[in-house]
Amino acid sequence: MTRRVYDSVQPPDMSFDDEENKETPIKSIPQTKCIWDLCIQATERAELNMNRNMDSKGPFLKACLMFPGVLQENSNKSVESTMFVVGAKSAAKTSIILRFLDRDETPKPTTALEYTFGRRSKNNNMLKDVAHVWELGGGIALSNLIEVPITKQCVKNLSVVICVDLSKPQTIWTTLESLLNTIKLRVKKVIAELKRDCPSDANQLVAECLARYGSDHPDKDNLDIIPVPITIIGTKYDEFQNFDPEKKKIISKTLRYVAHHHGAHLCYFSSKMEALVMKTRGLLGHLVFKTQLSKTVMTDHSKPIYVLAGMDAISQIGSPPAIVGSSHRWTNGNSCSYLRFLKKLKQCCLTIPPRILSTTRVSLTQSELKR
């Protein structure tokens, strides 16, 4: 077989030699362009299309089209995020952090505000994403320290975890009401500061939280969504699962509504139940490392609750159990009315035994509901 050398712009002849070892004549083929010429043509076409539509695309897209390496460069950078864990005293906050970071350590009481971190390798194993983890001890007594980890510099990659002790129902409402209000005020102040310096970042942060509910969610106009990812974790489920079924239902419906009203995720946790540990680790990993997230919803009060933000609705939660048979009835679809009922009936919902609850008539006047 005769060895042939072809010109870089001439397509090779794939025919074989004849018996006399002579080359088969090549038909006349129009001259073609090399790969670099084709690339230049494609780039020129892309720039032409870009210039035609640039007015509606914005400066960021213009930069990405003109410099395609920008997106790839950003995806290859390590990402730093902040997770702030708060909650009631002895509510397994440290246990959740240790299990999330996969550390085999004995939990110790948290003194005031403590810091640790975790790292996760990216696909190329050269860079690592970093999660800064803050834990606030002392329950709600030290809530003024919330200002330390929630700052303008980290709010764009911030997530807050609120732990409530399911084995102590009498502490649930006080913990949630105090911490949610404090966090809401702090986040609002920080976003206002961010909006003065970088309005686009502040608007994007708010838009991302609202996007979890979508434009067609039936409750979207009646919610009070906190514009950072919030996760409410009900801890010590191993003890809670042995509660009276009616009391579990009341507590679970109350937690579902509070989480739904503030745009928060809700899940149950127990360090003694590996399935719940893995479920919680997956949710926290998604918040700080943007890993894949299980979207399987569980709203059965006889099982561990798991509901993501935007995947619940007041119509699915149902009316507050404590007011069934009362002289004042809650109107479906009115989120504010639901919240006022829960505030007024928090003792009924979370402390009165089911046998008393079922025979107790609760009467709230319109003036009381507006408080």
Side-chain angles (χ1 to χ4, degrees):
M1 178 101 41
T2 303
R3 182 179 179 182
R4 303 185 178 100
V5 179
Y6 301 102
D7 184 78
S8 59
V9 296
Q10 182 72 20
D13 174 30
M14 301 307 296
S15 60
F16 292 95
D17 296 337
D18 56 16
E19 295 180 357
E20 298 180 359
N21 202 26
K22 295 182 179 179
E23 296 184 359
T24 303
I26 300 177
K27 296 182 179 180
S28 176
I29 299 178
Q31 185 80 0
T32 59
K33 296 185 178 181
C34 67
I35 187 65
W36 297 112
D37 294 329
L38 296 176
C39 289
I40 292 173
Q41 280 187 352
T43 303
E44 291 175 348
R45 286 196 298 269
E47 290 178 351
L48 180 61
N49 293 332
M50 177 190 69
N51 292 331
R52 289 175 178 173
N53 301 287
M54 191 52 59
D55 292 339
S56 61
K57 299 301 183 181
F60 178 74
L61 181 57
K62 180 178 180 180
C64 294
L65 290 174
M66 295 183 66
F67 306 100
V70 169
L71 293 178
Q72 183 177 0
E73 180 181 355
N74 289 338
S75 65
N76 289 333
K77 287 184 177 179
S78 60
V79 177
E80 295 189 20
S81 58
T82 300
M83 182 171 68
F84 186 30
V85 183
V86 298
K89 290 183 178 180
S90 304
K93 299 185 295 294
T94 306
S95 297
I96 290 175
I97 293 173
L98 292 176
R99 296 306 297 268
F100 169 64
L101 299 176
D102 198 19
R103 295 180 183 174
D104 187 13
E105 302 177 13
T106 302
K108 299 178 181 179
T110 302
T111 304
L113 189 64
E114 295 187 358
Y115 168 83
T116 186
F117 68 93
R119 292 183 295 184
R120 180 178 183 270
S121 299
K122 298 180 78 72
N123 294 332
N124 55 17
N125 293 322
M126 297 295 293
L127 299 173
K128 295 181 183 293
D129 290 336
V130 180
H132 303 283
V133 182
W134 294 85
E135 180 186 1
L136 180 64
I140 62 177
L142 301 176
S143 57
N144 59 314
L145 294 178
I146 282 178
E147 297 181 0
V148 176
I150 302 181
T151 63
K152 180 179 65 176
Q153 290 72 26
C154 73
V155 70
K156 291 185 292 184
N157 293 311
L158 171 71
S159 58
V160 180
V161 178
I162 303 176
C163 299
V164 294
D165 190 344
L166 295 176
S167 67
K168 299 177 181 178
Q170 67 275 11
T171 67
I172 292 178
W173 185 269
T174 304
T175 300
L176 284 176
E177 188 175 28
S178 175
L179 290 174
L180 283 170
N181 287 336
T182 305
I183 292 168
K184 187 188 308 180
L185 292 175
R186 178 58 182 171
V187 170
K188 183 178 180 180
K189 180 179 179 181
V190 169
I191 290 182
E193 296 174 358
L194 181 65
K195 198 166 188 176
R196 288 195 296 268
D197 299 337
C198 188
S200 60
D201 287 348
N203 294 335
Q204 181 182 359
L205 188 63
V206 174
E208 288 176 353
C209 290
L210 296 177
R212 291 198 293 267
Y213 281 79
S215 59
D216 57 346
H217 196 286
D219 305 328
K220 63 181 178 64
D221 296 327
N222 294 316
L223 303 179
D224 186 16
I225 300 176
I226 300 177
V228 296
I230 304 289
T231 302
I232 299 175
I233 300 181
T235 63
K236 302 184 182 179
Y237 179 78
D238 55 300
E239 300 179 36
F240 179 73
Q241 66 180 343
N242 299 320
F243 279 26
D244 182 273
E246 188 63 24
K247 194 167 188 177
K248 288 196 297 183
K249 181 178 180 180
I250 294 170
I251 295 172
S252 295
K253 291 182 72 172
T254 300
L255 289 175
R256 282 179 62 191
Y257 173 76
V258 173
H260 176 60
H261 183 75
H262 292 92
H265 309 300
L266 173 65
C267 70
Y268 286 175
F269 171 85
S270 171
S271 59
K272 300 178 181 179
M273 305 175 73
E274 197 61 28
L276 298 187
V277 171
M278 298 304 295
K279 201 85 169 179
T280 304
R281 285 187 65 186
L283 178 55
L284 299 183
H286 171 74
L287 293 174
V288 296
F289 295 130
K290 310 305 179 186
T291 56
Q292 292 295 325
L293 179 63
S294 172
K295 295 186 178 181
T296 303
V297 175
M298 176 54 65
T299 58
D300 187 349
H301 65 270
S302 64
K303 298 178 181 180
I305 299 295
Y306 182 87
V307 186
L308 301 180
M311 301 185 71
D312 213 340
I314 295 177
S315 59
Q316 298 175 11
I317 299 172
S319 60
I323 64 172
V324 174
S326 68
S327 59
H328 185 92
R329 293 184 179 277
W330 172 76
T331 303
N332 254 338
N334 191 329
S335 174
C336 296
S337 172
Y338 201 132
L339 186 61
R340 286 194 291 268
F341 265 120
L342 291 180
K343 286 183 177 180
K344 290 295 180 182
L345 301 171
K346 58 186 177 183
Q347 295 301 322
C348 295
C349 289
L350 303 179
T351 61
I352 294 181
R355 64 180 184 277
I356 300 178
L357 180 64
S358 61
T359 59
T360 300
R361 291 181 60 84
V362 181
S363 178
L364 299 178
T365 64
Q366 291 292 342
S367 60
E368 288 176 325
L369 286 171
K370 293 178 181 178
R371 295 178 186 172

PDB file of all heavy atoms in Angstrom, residues 237 252 256 268 297-306:
ATOM      1  N   TYR A 237     -36.842  12.791  67.638  1.00  0.00           N
ATOM      2  CA  TYR A 237     -38.031  12.109  67.142  1.00  0.00           C
ATOM      3  C   TYR A 237     -38.182  10.724  67.764  1.00  0.00           C
ATOM      4  O   TYR A 237     -39.297  10.208  67.860  1.00  0.00           O
ATOM      5  CB  TYR A 237     -37.971  11.986  65.618  1.00  0.00           C
ATOM      6  CG  TYR A 237     -39.169  11.264  65.036  1.00  0.00           C
ATOM      7  CD1 TYR A 237     -40.387  11.931  64.903  1.00  0.00           C
ATOM      8  CD2 TYR A 237     -39.089   9.931  64.655  1.00  0.00           C
ATOM      9  CE1 TYR A 237     -41.495  11.279  64.394  1.00  0.00           C
ATOM     10  CE2 TYR A 237     -40.197   9.277  64.143  1.00  0.00           C
ATOM     11  CZ  TYR A 237     -41.394   9.951  64.018  1.00  0.00           C
ATOM     12  OH  TYR A 237     -42.492   9.300  63.525  1.00  0.00           O
ATOM     13  N   SER A 252     -47.377  18.509  64.738  1.00  0.00           N
ATOM     14  CA  SER A 252     -46.889  18.441  63.358  1.00  0.00           C
ATOM     15  C   SER A 252     -47.598  19.455  62.468  1.00  0.00           C
ATOM     16  O   SER A 252     -46.970  20.116  61.631  1.00  0.00           O
ATOM     17  CB  SER A 252     -47.062  17.027  62.795  1.00  0.00           C
ATOM     18  OG  SER A 252     -46.254  16.100  63.502  1.00  0.00           O
ATOM     19  N   ARG A 256     -45.798  22.517  60.555  1.00  0.00           N
ATOM     20  CA  ARG A 256     -45.948  22.618  59.105  1.00  0.00           C
ATOM     21  C   ARG A 256     -46.430  24.005  58.710  1.00  0.00           C
ATOM     22  O   ARG A 256     -45.926  24.599  57.753  1.00  0.00           O
ATOM     23  CB  ARG A 256     -46.936  21.566  58.586  1.00  0.00           C
ATOM     24  CG  ARG A 256     -46.375  20.168  58.468  1.00  0.00           C
ATOM     25  CD  ARG A 256     -47.444  19.214  57.970  1.00  0.00           C
ATOM     26  NE  ARG A 256     -47.929  19.579  56.640  1.00  0.00           N
ATOM     27  CZ  ARG A 256     -49.006  19.040  56.075  1.00  0.00           C
ATOM     28  NH1 ARG A 256     -49.711  18.124  56.733  1.00  0.00           N
ATOM     29  NH2 ARG A 256     -49.370  19.409  54.865  1.00  0.00           N
ATOM     30  N   TYR A 268     -37.835  16.133  60.522  1.00  0.00           N
ATOM     31  CA  TYR A 268     -37.632  15.590  61.862  1.00  0.00           C
ATOM     32  C   TYR A 268     -36.305  14.852  61.907  1.00  0.00           C
ATOM     33  O   TYR A 268     -35.852  14.281  60.894  1.00  0.00           O
ATOM     34  CB  TYR A 268     -38.778  14.649  62.240  1.00  0.00           C
ATOM     35  CG  TYR A 268     -40.077  15.357  62.571  1.00  0.00           C
ATOM     36  CD1 TYR A 268     -41.243  14.631  62.828  1.00  0.00           C
ATOM     37  CD2 TYR A 268     -40.144  16.746  62.624  1.00  0.00           C
ATOM     38  CE1 TYR A 268     -42.432  15.270  63.145  1.00  0.00           C
ATOM     39  CE2 TYR A 268     -41.329  17.390  62.931  1.00  0.00           C
ATOM     40  CZ  TYR A 268     -42.476  16.650  63.191  1.00  0.00           C
ATOM     41  OH  TYR A 268     -43.648  17.298  63.502  1.00  0.00           O
ATOM     42  N   VAL A 297     -41.933  14.080  49.748  1.00  0.00           N
ATOM     43  CA  VAL A 297     -42.642  14.772  50.823  1.00  0.00           C
ATOM     44  C   VAL A 297     -43.307  13.753  51.742  1.00  0.00           C
ATOM     45  O   VAL A 297     -43.888  12.768  51.278  1.00  0.00           O
ATOM     46  CB  VAL A 297     -43.699  15.738  50.241  1.00  0.00           C
ATOM     47  CG1 VAL A 297     -44.532  16.363  51.347  1.00  0.00           C
ATOM     48  CG2 VAL A 297     -43.023  16.814  49.408  1.00  0.00           C
ATOM     49  N   MET A 298     -43.224  14.000  53.056  1.00  0.00           N
ATOM     50  CA  MET A 298     -43.911  13.168  54.037  1.00  0.00           C
ATOM     51  C   MET A 298     -44.676  14.071  54.988  1.00  0.00           C
ATOM     52  O   MET A 298     -44.090  14.848  55.736  1.00  0.00           O
ATOM     53  CB  MET A 298     -42.909  12.309  54.815  1.00  0.00           C
ATOM     54  CG  MET A 298     -43.542  11.485  55.940  1.00  0.00           C
ATOM     55  SD  MET A 298     -44.929  10.448  55.391  1.00  0.00           S
ATOM     56  CE  MET A 298     -44.071   9.323  54.300  1.00  0.00           C
ATOM     57  N   THR A 299     -46.005  14.010  54.936  1.00  0.00           N
ATOM     58  CA  THR A 299     -46.845  14.843  55.791  1.00  0.00           C
ATOM     59  C   THR A 299     -47.698  14.020  56.751  1.00  0.00           C
ATOM     60  O   THR A 299     -48.491  14.591  57.505  1.00  0.00           O
ATOM     61  CB  THR A 299     -47.766  15.719  54.931  1.00  0.00           C
ATOM     62  OG1 THR A 299     -48.573  14.879  54.078  1.00  0.00           O
ATOM     63  CG2 THR A 299     -46.955  16.683  54.066  1.00  0.00           C
ATOM     64  N   ASP A 300     -47.525  12.717  56.749  1.00  0.00           N
ATOM     65  CA  ASP A 300     -48.261  11.850  57.666  1.00  0.00           C
ATOM     66  C   ASP A 300     -47.734  12.058  59.080  1.00  0.00           C
ATOM     67  O   ASP A 300     -46.557  11.801  59.358  1.00  0.00           O
ATOM     68  CB  ASP A 300     -48.099  10.396  57.227  1.00  0.00           C
ATOM     69  CG  ASP A 300     -48.968   9.438  58.037  1.00  0.00           C
ATOM     70  OD1 ASP A 300     -49.530   9.866  59.072  1.00  0.00           O
ATOM     71  OD2 ASP A 300     -49.049   8.257  57.652  1.00  0.00           O
ATOM     72  N   HIS A 301     -48.588  12.522  60.002  1.00  0.00           N
ATOM     73  CA  HIS A 301     -48.130  12.840  61.350  1.00  0.00           C
ATOM     74  C   HIS A 301     -47.683  11.621  62.140  1.00  0.00           C
ATOM     75  O   HIS A 301     -47.034  11.759  63.178  1.00  0.00           O
ATOM     76  CB  HIS A 301     -49.240  13.571  62.125  1.00  0.00           C
ATOM     77  CG  HIS A 301     -50.456  12.717  62.371  1.00  0.00           C
ATOM     78  ND1 HIS A 301     -51.506  12.664  61.482  1.00  0.00           N
ATOM     79  CD2 HIS A 301     -50.768  11.890  63.391  1.00  0.00           C
ATOM     80  CE1 HIS A 301     -52.434  11.837  61.955  1.00  0.00           C
ATOM     81  NE2 HIS A 301     -52.012  11.352  63.097  1.00  0.00           N
ATOM     82  N   SER A 302     -48.017  10.433  61.660  1.00  0.00           N
ATOM     83  CA  SER A 302     -47.573   9.213  62.342  1.00  0.00           C
ATOM     84  C   SER A 302     -46.169   8.800  61.910  1.00  0.00           C
ATOM     85  O   SER A 302     -45.625   7.818  62.416  1.00  0.00           O
ATOM     86  CB  SER A 302     -48.550   8.067  62.071  1.00  0.00           C
ATOM     87  OG  SER A 302     -48.571   7.740  60.680  1.00  0.00           O
ATOM     88  N   LYS A 303     -45.579   9.575  60.968  1.00  0.00           N
ATOM     89  CA  LYS A 303     -44.237   9.288  60.468  1.00  0.00           C
ATOM     90  C   LYS A 303     -43.389  10.557  60.538  1.00  0.00           C
ATOM     91  O   LYS A 303     -43.920  11.647  60.759  1.00  0.00           O
ATOM     92  CB  LYS A 303     -44.321   8.771  59.026  1.00  0.00           C
ATOM     93  CG  LYS A 303     -45.097   7.467  58.890  1.00  0.00           C
ATOM     94  CD  LYS A 303     -45.184   7.022  57.435  1.00  0.00           C
ATOM     95  CE  LYS A 303     -45.995   5.734  57.314  1.00  0.00           C
ATOM     96  NZ  LYS A 303     -46.095   5.285  55.897  1.00  0.00           N
ATOM     97  N   PRO A 304     -42.077  10.437  60.355  1.00  0.00           N
ATOM     98  CA  PRO A 304     -41.224  11.640  60.405  1.00  0.00           C
ATOM     99  C   PRO A 304     -41.572  12.620  59.284  1.00  0.00           C
ATOM    100  O   PRO A 304     -41.538  12.276  58.110  1.00  0.00           O
ATOM    101  CB  PRO A 304     -39.802  11.084  60.224  1.00  0.00           C
ATOM    102  CG  PRO A 304     -39.894   9.654  60.631  1.00  0.00           C
ATOM    103  CD  PRO A 304     -41.264   9.210  60.240  1.00  0.00           C
ATOM    104  N   ILE A 305     -41.886  13.853  59.658  1.00  0.00           N
ATOM    105  CA  ILE A 305     -42.291  14.870  58.685  1.00  0.00           C
ATOM    106  C   ILE A 305     -41.082  15.322  57.868  1.00  0.00           C
ATOM    107  O   ILE A 305     -39.987  15.498  58.386  1.00  0.00           O
ATOM    108  CB  ILE A 305     -42.912  16.085  59.400  1.00  0.00           C
ATOM    109  CG1 ILE A 305     -44.168  15.664  60.178  1.00  0.00           C
ATOM    110  CG2 ILE A 305     -43.246  17.194  58.411  1.00  0.00           C
ATOM    111  CD1 ILE A 305     -45.301  15.179  59.304  1.00  0.00           C
ATOM    112  N   TYR A 306     -41.307  15.508  56.577  1.00  0.00           N
ATOM    113  CA  TYR A 306     -40.271  16.032  55.680  1.00  0.00           C
ATOM    114  C   TYR A 306     -40.975  16.802  54.572  1.00  0.00           C
ATOM    115  O   TYR A 306     -41.583  16.215  53.675  1.00  0.00           O
ATOM    116  CB  TYR A 306     -39.426  14.904  55.100  1.00  0.00           C
ATOM    117  CG  TYR A 306     -38.297  15.365  54.203  1.00  0.00           C
ATOM    118  CD1 TYR A 306     -37.052  15.698  54.739  1.00  0.00           C
ATOM    119  CD2 TYR A 306     -38.466  15.470  52.829  1.00  0.00           C
ATOM    120  CE1 TYR A 306     -36.009  16.116  53.929  1.00  0.00           C
ATOM    121  CE2 TYR A 306     -37.425  15.892  52.005  1.00  0.00           C
ATOM    122  CZ  TYR A 306     -36.208  16.204  52.562  1.00  0.00           C
ATOM    123  OH  TYR A 306     -35.168  16.620  51.750  1.00  0.00           O
TER     124      TYR A 306
END
